[in-house]
Structure formats: C-alpha cells, structure tokens
Amino acid sequence: MEKNSSSVDKNPLLSSERVDDVTDYPMKPSPLVSATKWTLKTLIYVIFIAWAAFIFVFPLESVSKLLGTFLNATIGSPFGITGSIFLIFSAPILIIAFLAIVHLIISGENHQLHHEKKSSRYPRFRLWTFPVLVDGPFGVISATELIGIVLFSAYVIFAFCVYTIRALGAISDHSSFKTMSLFMLDILGARLGSIGLFCMAFLFLPVSRGSVLLRYIDIPFEHATRYHVWLGHLTMVLFTLHGVFYVIAWAIEGRLIKELLGWKDIGVANLPGVISLVAGLLMWVTSLPGVRTWNFELFFYTHQLYVVFVVFLALHVGDFVFTMAAGGIFLFALDRFLRFFQSRRKVNIISSRCLPCGTVELVLSKPQNLRYNALSFVFLQIRELSWLQWHPFSVSSSPLDGKHHLAILIKVLGKWTGGLRDKITDADAQKDLSITASVEGPYGHEVPYHLMYENLVLVAGGIGLSPFLAILSDILHRVREGKPCQTRNILIVWAVKKSNELPLLSTIDMEAICPFFSDKVNIDIHIYVTRESDPPLEEGYIYKPIKSSFCPVPSDCPMSGLVGTGNNFWSGLYVISPTIGFVILLALLDIYYINPYGISKWWYKGLLFVICMVASVVIFGGLVIGLWHIWDKKSPMVEKSNHIKVDKFEQNGSVAPKDPSQDNVAKSTVIRYGSRPDFKEIFKLRSEIWGHVDVGVLVCGPPTLQSSVAQEIRSHSITRQRHDSIFHFHSHSFDL
C-alpha cells in the first residue's frame, strides 16, 4: 500500500481540548518549561525509588534499628511516633502525587509529546508492549509487568526469609520444642502482617479511577484493575497466614476463644482484627474467577465490605501502624468521594437505538469542556433497573464527533442489559424514553496513544469493535480537519459469531465524516463470521439502516464535569487541599485532645485517625468540589441551549441504504464465513507490506483472543528479521 508522506501527516502530535480549532497544533515548550518538567520527573523517580528501596530493606535488623532511633528522637514532636511513621511510609506517595499534579498542569495536553515523537521515528521494542507470558493465570503479561511481579515476589520472599532467620537467632538453645514453636508462630505471624500492610500500601492505588498517579504514568483504570487483583490475592494470602499462625498458637496454648474475643486498650486489639479478616476473606472468596463469573452481583456487593475491612484494621493495629498503608487509602477515599458527587447527577439520554444483533446504542449528553480520548470508557447506572449496579462500557464515539454528546454501545448479555433493551423497545413503541441515567467518568489513557502509530492493527471480538469505531471516527475527523494525527494505515480484524452482528459497522459513516478518506488513510476491514458457512440471503446486509429512537430533550442535564481526569487545576487542588487539611486536623487533634488528655488506647487513636481522614476528605475536599462546580457552571466553555443537534447520530439513524459497489468501505471490506483469523499469516503479510516500522496492535475481546494475538506477536518478535515490522501489543478489554 502506498503511504502518505506529507510533512504535516508525519508529525505525531496530540490534540488540544478545543474541538473547534482546526489549526490547533501544540507548540514546542520553552527551555524553562522543559527544565521544570525534567526536574519534577527526576524528583518523582528519586522519591519513589528511595521509598520502595526503604520498604524492601526494612526487614533488615540494621534498618529496623535505624528507624527505631529516628522514632525515639521524634517522640516529643507534636505528631509523635504516628507522624514520624506517616512521614516515612505514607508521605512519599502523597508528595509524588503533588509533583505529578504540577507536572500534568505544566504539560497540559502535550504530556509525553516529545518522548512519543522520538520513539515513533525509530522502531524498537518496548518493555510495556512486549508480551512475555500469554497463557498463565495472570493473562497476557508484558515484560514491564513481569518485572513488577518478580520484584513484589522477591520482596515477600526476602522479607519472610530475613524475619525467619532473625526469629531463629533469637531462640534460646535450652528452649523446648513447644516454646520454640509458639515463639516462631508469634513472631512470623506478626511479620506476615507487616508485610501484608506494605502490600496494602499499593493495593488501593490501582482502583482510584481518576488517580493523578495513574494519569501521570498513563495507565488507565481498566488496566490497573488487574494489578489490584494481583495485589489483593497477595495481600489476603499474607493476612490469612498472619491470622492462621496466631490461631494455631492460641489453640496450642488453650486460649483460642479468649484471644479471638480480646479487645486490648494498649496493644493490638484482636476482635477488630478478626472482623477485618472475615470481611477481607468474604471479599477475597467472592472475587475468585469462578464465583465472580457465576454471580457478579454477589462479588460487587460483597466488595463494598472494604469499608469494614479498612476501619476495623485501623482499630486492630492502632494509628501508628495503620499509617504504613494510609497514603494509598487516603488517595482512594478522595477519588471515591469525587465519584460520589459526579454520579449524583441525572444525565440526559439524547437518543437510543437497538441493533439487530441485540446491541443497544445510547447517546448521552455531555458538557462541551469534558475531556476524554477515543479509548475512554464510562460507568453507567440506570436507576429504573438498579440503584446499586454500575456497569463499565467503552465509548464508541470520538471527542470530535460533537461537543455535546458521547455514545456507547451495549451488548445484551444478561439481566441488566436485557432490561435496558426492553426499556428502550417499550420507549420506541410509546415514543417516550423514561430512563434515568447516571454516569461516572470518562476514564482512560491520558495520552491518545493510537495517534502515535502510523500503522494500526485493530483486533476485535464481537462488541469489542466498539472502541475501535471511536478510533476510526477520531482519526477520520483529524484527517479531514488537518488536526494532529500520524495514523495512515489501518487494518481491522473483526471476529463475530453470526452475520447479524455486522450492522455494528453502520454506527459509523466514514464517508460522511471524511469524504474521499481513502486518498489519505488506508483502511482494510477483514471480518470473520465463525459460526456461519454462507452469507445471508439479503444483499448489502452490512449496510442495513438501523431504527433509532430520538428524544428532543434540553441540554441542561449533561454529564458532570467533576471528574479526576478532567481539569488539571481543579483535580490537583482537590488532592492537595484535603491532604493539607488532613495534616491540620491531625495536628489540632494531637495538640488539643490526645496529648492534653493522655489518650493512649491504640484502637481509639486508630479510630480517630480514620475519622480525621474522612473529615478532611469531606470538609476540605467538599469545599473544593463546591467551588469547582460553581466554576464549571460559569465557565465560558459551557454553552447551554434548549435544543441539541445530534449531528452524526441522527444521520446514522436515518441513513439510506448504500450501494456497496459505490462505497469505499465496501471495497476495502473482506468477509470470510466459517473461519477464524490466522494471526500468523496476518502479521506476516502486514510486516511484508509495511516494512521496518512500529505497528500498534490493539485488542478488544475475550481472553482467548488476546492470548492468541499476544502469542503470535511474541513469536514474530523472537523470529523477526531486521527489515520486519515491530508489533506492539495493547489490550483494551475491561474485566473486573
């Protein structure tokens, strides 16, 4: 295929928030800005490496003594030992968050621009896009993820071995076997609990959907959830062993019930620990793949016990031990509180339609200044179906499709989605769509990385085509309007079970978005209908128009702009203000209550610590949210009108049947019946055509599809010649 080689097209630039400026190319940052960003980035790396290294070597006796010396020297300080431990173990992650906020504000929309520009010109392997393990229990694992798994495993093994050796060295030669056993159980039980606390320090970071930390390293929430799952399994194994070791020791001594029900004022309170562990075990068991697949609602509702798990953990260990994991929990609490406010707003559904394959398309009203990328997703709640259930869906529209709307495609697979389809069908018959929708998000990549590749291979299974429709729309809009975009060659490999799913392609009209797009972008579509051996009798079935239901509603109920991935200034202020407020509340508590009244109960001080965390989020975070909401309503970017033009969505709903022979899409579409994609042949052919270039391979579909693609990419990368393409694996599948 012939490649477009114009100088403008070769610039891998990013878009601006403004969707109405067709010449909005980002300017090269000044030397001062570049130096500031480099300094911030260096500080972040130094602080994180020092923090992680200290946690890693903490089990060593020399390090423990050094920490003990520091704590003894700070006993007389206003914050006491609690403040010192918080400064060492939790403050670094908060400081990193502050620096990341400043970096994001300075970078603006040009985040990682120059790094991507440099890497796109020199094809090379990248650790985070090279699949190493493809068939293991963790799914597809990149080289970077494997390094992280090895480091965490090494820490746990190293810490356990060091603590075991130290415990054995402390045993007297004249001790009886029973005494030695009880001593080892007691010591190792306590040490396993401390290792679990350090793992817990990372546990809540991946599930903070709008976390500034995830945005800074550009890991979207749908990818980060797998890290939460891995850390959750590891943490619960450690906490379970922690409890089991103590239970065995107490049973040997004949005081099991007494200890389980014990609630000490000075020292560890056992009963709160039992309650916390039981809550954790319930979350753990119901999150196992078999149980989660069998009854997702049971998993979802049981997982809300995390509140019980955290609060009673604080009561169990007291304030100063709890501070070891408080940083990540505090950032999660901030994110959860912001999501609560965003999700309270009722969102207008502009239009809806049911596709022949049982897929539903919803078009939601959004404010003009809401930021999101083509690979974003939202959480949707329909109150007529459930007040508690939230379901994630990929966005199927580009930010450039329109200023006031966002579309999602929903595959009908269960009770909830089936109820939604019935509601829309009834509304279509009665001409009245009475659905109350609430939305959290959008969330996703900070950088639209799909624009950084000149060559893309989009592999979809069934409804997995949804985010790729957004990518196609985004690229075609940019090509038509002269906006930054590097992509010039696109191959879509789409596997469906039956041909009634083919009309999904009609939800995007490529010719209407960018007339004569084939002159600038090469788009090939290969469709595999796996469970049918012959095409349907109806000719042009793929282009059959789809019936729609449009609701002429006012635009005063769009999605909320209060989202952590939105305005950098306000989202940054929302993190900084409650953190400072938390420190102030702790200082006031120590100065005017704990120290004057001699409060010494561990569990009570742990409860006060949690109350300070919650109060700082509610009071100081709530104040910022209120000001943010007022600013958002008065922002000149927000345009209100009494009527919404649905733009492409109305056009798609009433589009006339096309003659495939006259359509560029039809000419570039190949449909194969009764076969599955041969990825070895596909990648080999593309490598021969495109040559020595970087190729972004995006996969959205079931785990088996991801594994097949990742396995072939790994095989190709190992055996490739110097002139072959380098394929980079990206997964876009959401699996809680």
Side-chain angles (χ1 to χ4, degrees):
M1 295 183 181
E2 185 178 356
K3 300 177 183 178
N4 192 310
S5 59
S6 64
S7 59
V8 174
D9 294 339
K10 290 294 183 180
N11 292 329
L13 305 177
L14 292 179
S15 66
S16 170
E17 282 186 12
R18 297 178 56 192
V19 298
D20 57 340
D21 186 356
V22 298
T23 61
D24 197 6
Y25 288 86
M27 301 296 292
K28 183 177 180 180
S30 65
L32 178 60
V33 171
S34 299
T36 304
K37 290 168 59 178
W38 181 88
T39 302
L40 290 171
K41 189 174 182 179
T42 303
L43 279 174
I44 289 174
Y45 279 119
V46 169
I47 294 173
F48 178 77
I49 292 174
W51 176 58
F54 183 81
I55 291 177
F56 196 95
V57 300
F58 178 71
L60 296 176
E61 187 173 4
S62 58
V63 178
S64 299
K65 289 182 179 179
L66 181 64
L67 177 62
T69 303
F70 173 73
L71 295 180
N72 291 331
T74 57
I75 291 179
S77 63
F79 295 99
I81 295 178
T82 301
S84 300
I85 295 179
F86 184 85
L87 180 64
I88 295 174
F89 293 107
S90 288
I93 200 66
L94 298 177
I95 295 173
I96 290 174
F98 292 174
L99 296 176
I101 290 168
V102 178
H103 191 281
L104 288 173
I105 292 175
I106 294 176
S107 301
E109 295 302 301
N110 298 330
H111 183 49
Q112 293 185 351
L113 168 62
H114 299 285
H115 169 72
E116 295 292 346
K117 185 174 182 179
K118 178 180 178 181
S119 62
S120 64
R121 291 183 176 179
Y122 302 97
R124 59 183 175 84
F125 288 105
R126 300 167 192 164
L127 293 178
W128 56 91
T129 61
F130 178 65
V132 178
L133 303 177
V134 297
D135 296 321
F138 299 115
V140 179
I141 303 297
S142 69
T144 300
E145 291 169 337
L146 181 61
I147 292 173
I149 292 174
V150 170
L151 289 177
F152 261 98
S153 302
Y155 163 70
V156 173
I157 296 172
F158 169 76
F160 185 77
C161 291
V162 170
Y163 285 135
T164 302
I165 293 173
R166 289 176 59 181
L168 290 173
I171 295 177
S172 172
D173 295 336
H174 303 287
S175 300
S176 65
F177 178 77
K178 180 179 179 181
T179 303
M180 292 173 54
S181 300
L182 291 175
F183 178 79
M184 291 296 295
L185 288 170
D186 184 72
I187 292 296
L188 294 182
R191 299 315 180 194
L192 284 170
S194 66
I195 298 173
L197 275 176
F198 286 131
C199 292
M200 193 173 167
F202 296 89
L203 179 63
F204 286 87
L205 296 177
V207 286
S208 300
R209 297 176 186 173
S211 169
V212 65
L213 299 176
L214 296 182
R215 292 181 59 203
Y216 176 73
I217 58 180
D218 198 24
I219 296 180
F221 172 68
E222 73 269 21
H223 289 181
T225 51
R226 64 191 309 197
Y227 308 145
H228 171 76
V229 172
W230 301 344
L231 286 169
H233 289 314
L234 176 60
T235 302
M236 286 311 304
V237 166
L238 293 170
F239 281 159
T240 302
L241 291 176
H242 162 74
V244 168
F245 278 23
Y246 274 111
V247 166
I248 294 174
W250 295 334
I252 293 175
E253 294 178 317
R255 52 192 182 96
L256 177 61
I257 303 300
K258 179 182 177 180
E259 289 291 346
L260 289 177
L261 300 178
W263 194 311
K264 297 179 182 177
D265 289 336
I266 306 299
V268 174
N270 292 336
L271 182 57
V274 173
I275 297 173
S276 177
L277 181 59
V278 170
L281 289 173
L282 287 174
M283 289 191 292
W284 188 24
V285 171
T286 55
S287 67
L288 296 175
V291 179
R292 189 172 68 244
T293 303
W294 169 66
N295 194 329
F296 181 84
E297 292 184 16
L298 177 63
F299 151 74
F300 178 79
Y301 296 143
T302 307
H303 235 62
Q304 308 313 308
L305 290 173
Y306 72 85
V307 177
V308 176
F309 177 71
V310 171
V311 172
F312 279 89
L313 176 64
L315 298 177
H316 172 56
V317 299
D319 58 335
F320 66 92
V321 178
F322 182 74
T323 56
M324 293 180 177
I329 297 174
F330 183 73
L331 291 177
F332 171 78
L334 284 172
D335 178 77
R336 188 65 190 88
F337 190 63
L338 181 61
R339 289 194 284 118
F340 172 80
F341 272 93
Q342 189 199 21
S343 63
R344 293 308 94 194
R345 175 177 292 188
K346 177 182 176 181
V347 179
N348 283 337
I349 297 179
I350 300 175
S351 72
S352 64
R353 57 179 173 181
C354 294
L355 281 65
C357 59
T359 299
V360 173
E361 182 187 57
L362 296 181
V363 182
L364 306 172
S365 175
K366 77 171 185 69
Q368 176 181 342
N369 60 340
L370 185 68
R371 285 184 59 232
Y372 73 98
N373 290 324
L375 283 171
S376 297
F377 68 95
V378 298
F379 280 82
L380 180 68
Q381 178 203 56
I382 304 296
R383 297 179 185 178
E384 285 75 13
L385 300 177
S386 174
W387 279 81
L388 297 177
Q389 293 187 45
W390 289 84
H391 295 264
F393 299 103
S394 296
V395 174
S396 61
S397 62
S398 161
L400 302 178
D401 280 328
K403 301 176 182 179
H404 301 286
H405 44 253
L406 174 151
I408 57 176
L409 290 172
I410 302 172
K411 180 73 172 179
V412 177
L413 295 173
K415 181 179 178 181
W416 189 91
T417 51
L420 177 61
R421 178 188 57 191
D422 295 340
K423 283 280 184 182
I424 293 174
T425 303
D426 295 341
D428 183 52
Q430 302 173 9
K431 305 301 180 183
D432 178 24
L433 184 60
S434 57
I435 295 180
T436 305
S438 297
V439 177
E440 286 185 10
Y443 303 107
H445 280 277
E446 183 71 10
V447 176
Y449 66 89
H450 60 279
L451 300 178
M452 305 303 179
Y453 291 104
E454 183 177 348
N455 309 279
L456 283 177
V457 177
L458 310 179
V459 182
I463 194 60
L465 183 69
S466 175
F468 299 155
L469 296 176
I471 287 180
L472 287 176
S473 178
D474 195 45
I475 291 173
L476 293 176
H477 273 294
R478 292 175 179 277
V479 169
R480 184 192 68 186
E481 300 175 8
K483 284 182 173 289
C485 177
Q486 184 175 334
T487 308
R488 288 298 176 265
N489 299 301
I490 303 174
L491 170 65
I492 300 177
V493 180
W494 185 27
V496 297
K497 294 180 180 179
K498 296 183 179 181
S499 56
N500 65 348
E501 298 186 53
L502 299 182
L504 278 175
L505 279 176
S506 67
T507 59
I508 176 175
D509 191 338
M510 300 185 198
E511 286 288 351
I513 296 175
C514 183
F516 307 106
F517 68 86
S518 58
D519 295 336
K520 299 180 180 179
V521 183
N522 300 310
I523 300 179
D524 291 330
I525 304 175
H526 293 185
I527 304 176
Y528 297 82
V529 184
T530 59
R531 296 189 180 180
E532 293 180 0
S533 56
D534 298 304
L537 297 177
E538 184 178 358
E539 187 177 359
Y541 184 76
I542 188 175
Y543 304 98
K544 184 178 180 179
I546 303 170
K547 191 175 183 179
S548 303
S549 171
F550 297 101
C551 305
V553 293
S555 62
D556 56 349
C557 292
M559 297 165 54
S560 173
L562 303 177
V563 56
T565 55
N567 184 282
N568 286 332
F569 172 79
W570 283 107
S571 59
L573 185 62
Y574 175 70
V575 174
I576 295 174
S577 178
T579 305
I580 297 175
F582 176 50
V583 175
I584 293 174
L585 289 180
L586 279 181
L588 294 176
L589 185 68
D590 284 333
I591 294 173
Y592 293 103
Y593 182 62
I594 292 180
N595 294 333
Y597 291 93
I599 304 299
S600 59
K601 296 178 180 179
W602 284 25
W603 66 267
Y604 184 51
K605 292 175 69 175
L607 178 62
L608 293 176
F609 189 89
V610 173
I611 291 175
C612 282
M613 288 179 61
V614 175
S616 62
V617 172
V618 173
I619 297 173
F620 296 94
L623 177 62
V624 174
I625 289 176
L627 296 175
W628 187 354
H629 178 68
I630 295 173
W631 176 88
D632 195 52
K633 291 179 66 176
K634 294 183 178 180
S635 174
M637 289 291 292
V638 180
E639 300 177 358
K640 291 186 177 181
S641 78
N642 293 326
H643 302 284
I644 296 180
K645 295 181 180 179
V646 187
D647 297 339
K648 90 172 182 82
F649 302 108
E650 290 185 351
Q651 296 172 10
N652 286 343
S654 58
V655 65
K658 301 178 182 179
D659 180 0
S661 64
Q662 302 298 323
D663 197 312
N664 285 323
V665 178
K667 295 177 181 178
S668 61
T669 300
V670 178
I671 305 178
R672 297 179 175 86
Y673 291 86
S675 63
R676 299 180 180 275
D678 184 352
F679 292 111
K680 181 176 182 179
E681 183 64 26
I682 290 173
F683 289 137
K684 179 181 179 181
L685 180 60
R686 290 297 139 178
S687 181
E688 293 175 354
I689 295 175
W690 292 337
H692 184 54
V693 294
D694 284 319
V695 179
V697 181
L698 282 65
V699 186
C700 186
T704 52
L705 179 65
Q706 296 185 56
S707 297
S708 299
V709 175
Q711 186 173 8
E712 188 52 45
I713 289 178
R714 183 183 63 179
S715 176
H716 174 86
S717 300
I718 295 175
T719 60
R720 64 175 291 274
Q721 304 297 319
R722 295 186 60 182
H723 58 275
D724 289 338
S725 301
I726 298 179
F727 294 97
H728 301 274
F729 179 84
H730 298 273
S731 172
H732 190 69
S733 295
F734 195 101
D735 184 21
L736 277 178

